Amino acid sequence: MMTLGRVARCLTVGFVLAVIGIGLLPFLLVFMLIDVNGLTEFDPTPVYTMVSKFIGVGK
């Protein structure tokens, strides 16, 4: 049985994740458009960029 506290906690987590997801959407759209149009010389994926900065690899 779900208590009122558990329902509130689930709703709060859901709203926070929704706000973060909607907030990141414009950045993901820009990354996609840059990649599709070929306007960049590097791989625009954030994970690749972060790893390459840590290991010191530059193209």
Side-chain angles (χ1 to χ4, degrees):
M1 183 171 169
M2 293 197 53
T3 62
L4 188 59
R6 187 169 177 177
V7 170
R9 190 170 43 228
C10 289
L11 286 175
T12 303
V13 170
F15 281 131
V16 167
L17 290 176
V19 167
I20 290 172
I22 291 171
L24 289 176
L25 190 60
F27 297 105
L28 295 174
L29 182 64
V30 168
F31 275 133
M32 184 202 64
L33 289 175
I34 287 174
D35 191 34
V36 167
N37 291 327
L39 297 175
T40 182
E41 296 177 2
F42 62 91
D43 188 9
T45 56
V47 173
Y48 178 81
T49 305
M50 184 177 66
V51 169
S52 66
K53 283 184 180 181
F54 278 124
I55 62 174
V57 174
K59 284 188 175 182

